[in-house]
Amino acid sequence: MTRPVDIPTLVEQARRGAPRAVARLISMVEDAHPALREVMAALAPYSGHAHIIGITGSPGVGKSTSTNALVTALRRRDLRVGVLAVDPSSPFSGGALLGDRIRMTDHVLDPRVYIRSMASRGHLGGLSWTTPQALRVLDAAGCDVVLVETVGVGQSEVEIVGLADTTVVLLAPGMGDGIQAAKAGILEIGDVFVVNKADRDGADNTVRDIRHMISLGDRTEPGLWRPPVVKTVASRDEGVDEVVEALDKHLTWMKDKGELRARRLRRAADEIEAIVIKSLRERMGDLRGEHGVDTLAAAVVDGEQDSYSAADQILADLT
Ligand code: GDP
């Protein structure tokens, strides 16, 4: 049994920025709490303020160091910042993970910085509905910027793109030259490219490679966004203000071109679809007896029925 929650009070506290209330609401998202529907209804009028920035790149490239440095740079501008580390490969519930990550401890005592990690495995279409809902909590809590970082390895690099307004692709010399980047499909997804570890040999070559690959792409026409390539040494806080400037420029460009709304529309559509599919699957699991999927599966195996007609029968029962 989940204990009853006073949603209006919790939402009000979160809106005033109370860290515990924010954390509680994100846990409710992670747990697919039954009252989530009520939470989202209460938060709906307060969303759309935050600039959502996705940070992606191979493990070891400096994502968490860069996230930490970006938080510092954003705080210098007196912005309220949220950090959501999403681990699509981990079944473990969040909270502890990022707290353990030493490089983020610079900000744990800052009341205007919210740091949370969240696992989404185990939920059907997990990333596509849990992440936007957790982001909505941080947005409604008054964050000006929310950084979404994928942790863990996997196919999440490209998946994260649909979740952000602006996507930052992080590379490092020798790890992600242009060819590799092109192969990984990340050239298309980056709005801002950052070559981190610029204190190492080969950084300028990596920058040149990426610029070259971008120039070969289809983003060179006038009016289109030409992704900037910025060099950083995240561990020494170098170049990070330039990244923030590039992010600002991208936000302004998106607003001017209607792209911000277009991206948010796509995101909302994906979220709705994920919720529909989740709900259909739950209701399908509730069907019993001759209408149940087990009975129909047996009929298909025994050759009494084909799988399309079985699916039609379930769809008819659900609608
Ligand atoms: P992540 O796996 O992408 O999150 O990468 P981390 O942020 O954990 O960084 C991986 C390693 O690279 C750590 O040992 C960092 O201290 C180091 N690192 C991060 N940024 C830089 C940098 O700009 N220069 C150098 N030399 N090392 C860095």
Side-chain angles (χ1 to χ4, degrees), residues 55-68 101 103 149-152 170 172-173 175 195-200 232-238:
I55 298 173
T56 185
S58 313
V61 79
K63 285 189 298 298
S64 82
T65 312
S66 299
T67 302
N68 191 51
R101 301 185 76 181
R103 286 174 295 278
E149 182 199 345
T150 40
V151 297
L170 228 64
M175 291 180 65
V195 175
N196 187 42
K197 305 195 183 183
D199 51 330
R200 296 204 174 158
T232 61
V233 184
S235 51
R236 294 205 300 250
D237 225 342
E238 289 171 24

Side-chain angles (χ1 to χ4, degrees), residues 271-308:
E271 184 185 349
I272 294 168
E273 184 183 295
I275 294 171
V276 168
I277 291 170
K278 177 171 172 277
S279 153
L280 280 176
R281 182 173 265 198
E282 283 164 3
R283 285 166 57 201
M284 180 173 123
D286 290 340
L287 294 174
R288 295 278 175 267
E290 61 176 304
H291 295 271
V293 71
D294 293 343
T295 311
L296 290 165
V300 169
V301 169
D302 295 337
E304 291 160 11
Q305 203 174 346
D306 71 278
S307 50
Y308 283 98

Side-chain angles (χ1 to χ4, degrees), residues 166 192 225 228 230 241-251:
T166 299
V192 173
W225 174 254
V230 185
D241 284 322
E242 285 79 357
V243 177
V244 173
E245 278 163 33
L247 295 169
D248 270 351
K249 274 195 192 137
H250 186 245
L251 182 64

